[in-house]
Amino acid sequence: MMAEVYSILVSYNPNISELNQAVDRLLLQTKRVIVCNNSDFSVEFNHQRVKVFNFYENLGIAKAQNIGMKWAFENGAEFILQIDQDSIPDSRLVKNLLACHETLTKLGYKIGLVGSQDYDKDTNELSVAKVKKGGLLKGLHILKLTKF
């Protein structure tokens, strides 16, 4: 059985074309897409797997994500994918994150979060973290992906 993965996409004054592209890509990979719109105008999607919260004010990304996650978990989500309006998710993103979670779980790790490496959409270069905290799990090279 496939995991119940819901996407939480937070938007603020989005480029509507980019927002539509992100939602379309997420619908190919996740069961539901929850758009948490912090803009002072509404966005609408005519798709039964898309839930939209139009806040008509900027609640901030954290509060918008929390509202979306609350709804998602109350409606069957097992996993949440957090994304913003101008991200372009790779077609293998959810599949690879789930595979990573499964591998680490089988190795005995208690996993709370699995993340991906991002690329700058304009330069197609690997984004470099400005702050590094924590450490890598030594000896693990779960998935090595190439940029799309």
Side-chain angles (χ1 to χ4, degrees):
M1 184 169 116
M2 186 66 171
E4 297 287 329
V5 181
Y6 287 34
S7 301
I8 310 291
L9 188 153
V10 176
S11 66
Y12 177 71
N13 296 332
N15 172 303
I16 299 301
S17 175
E18 286 182 355
L19 181 63
N20 287 330
Q21 181 181 13
V23 169
D24 288 344
R25 284 182 177 224
L26 292 169
L27 283 169
L28 295 173
Q29 300 184 62
T30 61
K31 183 173 182 179
R32 299 288 304 253
V33 176
I34 298 111
V35 177
C36 297
N37 182 28
N38 275 330
S39 307
D40 59 3
F41 59 87
S42 66
V43 296
E44 305 296 331
F45 292 89
N46 190 19
H47 197 292
Q48 69 185 113
R49 291 179 33 227
V50 179
K51 169 75 174 165
V52 178
F53 289 100
N54 285 305
F55 302 125
Y56 299 101
E57 65 177 319
N58 188 357
L59 301 180
I61 191 167
K63 186 169 185 177
Q65 287 173 332
N66 284 331
I67 291 168
M69 286 191 301
K70 181 179 187 304
W71 187 91
F73 285 126
E74 288 174 351
N75 287 275
E78 296 174 76
F79 293 94
I80 300 290
L81 175 67
Q82 298 278 11
I83 197 161
D84 61 16
Q85 70 195 27
D86 58 353
S87 296
I88 303 170
D90 183 85
S91 63
R92 304 163 295 174
L93 177 64
V94 172
K95 175 184 163 190
N96 289 333
L97 290 172
L98 288 171
C100 183
H101 180 272
E102 181 180 347
T103 299
L104 291 169
T105 300
K106 285 180 180 177
L107 291 171
Y109 292 97
K110 294 183 179 186
I111 305 301
L113 175 80
V114 177
S116 62
Q117 177 63 59
D118 63 308
Y119 290 82
D120 183 291
K121 71 178 182 178
D122 296 322
T123 66
N124 207 26
E125 295 293 322
L126 183 68
S127 294
V128 178
K130 293 175 178 64
V131 177
K132 290 190 177 190
K133 293 183 178 181
L136 299 175
L137 299 174
K138 295 192 187 304
L140 292 178
H141 299 282
I142 306 302
L143 296 171
K144 184 171 182 173
L145 304 175
T146 57
K147 55 186 169 179
F148 61 102

